[in-house]
């Protein structure tokens, strides 16, 4: 299932073919919408609420305890989670990275383990129960509407698939995966195309072609997301920019669409390509009813931005390191609400789901 995205501002053109260079020439304006949709987006969102994570400590080790299983998700300690995404039933799946597992939070708020043993054991490629197959630092996750999971199993260098409780290995990456994080799966069962991040390269896997470099020349990749036209949004955390990847004639080209490429404080209301987005790693398209644009979350900058259809950056959630406040309040209430953002996704209702802070919080901005 592809989320819908229209009218992403294309404020620069970059030439070249195949694996393109990051130093594109930002000289040509292409199809820039004249009207901002920010007021529409801002009006559609309401309260910020917590979904999972007790946030008590940050030890950098596995903090999961057996007593958390089947209990309220807000009482469970997460271990530097990196991604959270929902299925169509409202279940939210969390890549609990340093606890080597995938958790599920039900709409009623109960948390359970659905993949991984909690120990970074040896990789087992034989199909079997997902909770009896080890994961090692999973930091990427893709969820289909029916609850089928795809997991970026970082240290094992594999992309795993979990369907009806059974884990299989879909992709074994030659040479392994570096850094990871970004994962997107297009297509249907048995006909998947998998895009994933590895250091400074977006790779693509198909059953017929295997693993190939799709787009190169980034600095330090974050997350990726696809729009309804099959274009990828790619966050380059190390390069402080977000790119749009388009493909024509088998050649992929990337174009910067947000971020000045420099560190520093972002400017609310500035052109997206002229304002710093320091350490941007979270990215996701806007809800289809909102007329285009996308969300972008910064790690070092500790903020969630909305880049509107006219290419203007708007501060959606403010924050700073170790901040976690404003829960139960309107998202627009002034104050530092979030810490280092790792991911942003939208569920099928358009609620914004974020993962932030080394202590491990999963929160939601609710759509009216």
């Amino acid at each position: 299932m592809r989320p819908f995205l229209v009218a992403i501002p294309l404020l620069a053109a970059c030439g070249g073919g195949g694996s393109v260079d990051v130093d594109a020439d930002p000289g040509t304006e292409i199809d820039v919408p004249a009207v901002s949709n920010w007021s529409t987006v801002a009006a559609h969102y309401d309260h910020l609420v917590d979904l999972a994570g007790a946030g008590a400590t940050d030890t950098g080790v596995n903090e999961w305890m057996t007593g958390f299983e089947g209990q309220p998700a807000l009482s469970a300690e997460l271990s530097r989670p990196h991604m959270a995404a929902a299925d169509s039933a409202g279940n939210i799946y969390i890549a609990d990275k340093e606890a080597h597992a995938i958790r599920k939070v039900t709409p009623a708020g109960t948390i359970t383990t659905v993949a991984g043993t909690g120990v970074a054991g040896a990789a087992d490629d034989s199909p079997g129960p997902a909770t009896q197959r080890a994961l090692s630092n999973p930091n990427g996750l893709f969820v289909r509407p029916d609850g089928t999971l795809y997991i970026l199993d970082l240290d094992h260098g594999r992309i795993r698939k979990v369907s009806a409780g059974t884990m299989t290995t879909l992709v074994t990456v030659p040479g392994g995966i570096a850094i990871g994080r970004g994962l997107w799966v297009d297509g249907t069962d048995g006909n998947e195309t998998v895009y994933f991040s590895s250091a400074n390269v977006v790779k693509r896997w198909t059953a017929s072609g295997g693993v190939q470099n799709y787009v190169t020349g980034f600095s330090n990749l974050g997350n990726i997301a696809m729009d309804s036209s099959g274009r990828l949004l790619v966050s380059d955390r190390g390069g402080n920019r977000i790119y749009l990847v388009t493909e024509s004639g088998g050649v992929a080209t990337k174009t910067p669409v947000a971020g000045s490429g420099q560190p520093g404080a972002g400017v609310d209301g500035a052109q997206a390509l002229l304002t710093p987005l320091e350490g941007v790693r979270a990215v996701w398209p806007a809800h289809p009813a909102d007329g285009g644009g996308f969300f972008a979350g910064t790690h070092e900058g500790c903020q969630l931005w909305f880049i509107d259809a006219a290419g203007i950056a708007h501060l959606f959630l403010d924050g700073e390191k170790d901040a976690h406040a404003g829960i139960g309040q309107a998202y627009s209430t002034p104050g530092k609400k979030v810490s280092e953002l790792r991911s942003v996704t939208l569920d099928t209702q358009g609620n914004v789901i974020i993962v932030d802070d080394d202590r491990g919080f999963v929160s939601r901005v609710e759509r009216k």
Side-chain angles (χ1 to χ4, degrees), residues 59 68 78 117 219 286 353:
T59 62
F68 297 150
L78 301 174
T117 63
S219 177
I353 301 169

Side-chain angles (χ1 to χ4, degrees), residues 139-187:
N139 69 348
L141 180 70
F142 181 86
V143 182
R144 281 185 174 175
D146 66 359
T148 300
L149 305 178
Y150 296 84
I151 304 163
L152 194 153
D153 190 0
L154 177 61
D155 290 351
H156 287 152
R158 287 161 166 79
I159 307 298
R160 311 285 197 168
K161 181 177 180 179
V162 178
S163 179
T166 296
M167 183 186 293
T168 56
T169 297
L170 186 64
V171 184
T172 299
V173 183
I177 302 172
I179 302 174
R181 304 180 185 130
L183 176 64
W184 191 271
V185 181
D186 193 25

Side-chain angles (χ1 to χ4, degrees), residues 12-28 30 215-216 243-244 246 251-256:
C14 54
S19 297
V20 296
D21 188 85
V22 77
D23 295 322
D25 176 18
T28 305
I30 306 174
V215 187
T216 68
Y243 292 84
L244 181 71
T246 56
V251 177
T253 303
K254 65 177 180 292
T255 301

Side-chain angles (χ1 to χ4, degrees), residues 48 323-329 335-338:
L48 174 66
H324 190 74
I327 304 305
Q329 298 180 16
K336 309 289 187 180
K337 295 181 173 62
V338 294

Side-chain angles (χ1 to χ4, degrees), residues 270-342:
Q271 291 185 27
L273 278 167
L274 299 180
T275 191
L277 293 177
E278 186 169 7
V280 62
R281 62 187 287 185
V283 63
W284 199 265
H287 187 271
D290 289 343
F294 55 92
F295 290 92
T298 59
H299 184 107
E300 282 74 18
C302 300
Q303 293 171 322
L304 181 63
W305 294 83
F306 182 75
I307 312 303
D308 72 18
I312 304 300
H314 304 273
L315 184 59
F316 193 82
L317 287 174
D318 199 6
E320 63 185 7
K321 172 66 175 170
D322 295 325
H324 190 74
I327 304 305
Q329 298 180 16
Y331 81 95
S332 56
T333 302
K336 309 289 187 180
K337 295 181 173 62
V338 294
S339 184
E340 299 162 323
L341 270 77
R342 283 161 169 73

